[in-house]
Amino acid sequence: MVAEIVIGLCDVIHHKAVDWLAWEDPYIFNVDAQTLKAQRETSQQEVFKRLAYAVPMMQQLYETAKSKA
């Protein structure tokens, strides 16, 4: 669903690099940002969780970009 939204809005989206772990999660979990980032970056479970949704989105974005080229 997120990839479909990005594809639909690709002509009007303005983007910038953001470290989401440093920006949002520390406030939600009430944890020091650097500690949380270190824990998340070394957690195999966290990597698998993020890849489970990121890979299908990247595949859809890739297929859409390829078809427009």
Side-chain angles (χ1 to χ4, degrees):
M1 173 92 181
V2 173
E4 292 173 6
I5 292 169
V6 170
I7 291 167
L9 297 173
C10 67
D11 294 331
V12 295
I13 290 177
H14 300 281
H15 61 85
K16 65 180 179 177
V18 175
D19 184 346
W20 291 103
L21 292 177
W23 176 74
E24 182 179 71
D25 290 351
Y27 298 106
I28 294 171
F29 296 112
N30 196 27
V31 178
D32 174 68
Q34 293 303 317
T35 301
L36 181 61
K37 184 175 181 177
Q39 290 171 347
R40 294 274 175 93
E41 287 179 346
T42 59
S43 168
Q44 187 177 28
Q45 181 181 0
E46 185 71 22
V47 170
F48 288 143
K49 180 179 91 174
R50 292 180 186 274
L51 287 176
Y53 70 82
V55 170
M57 286 193 301
M58 288 185 285
Q59 183 66 35
Q60 187 172 7
L61 292 169
Y62 170 75
E63 292 298 330
T64 300
K66 189 169 79 171
S67 71
K68 289 184 178 185

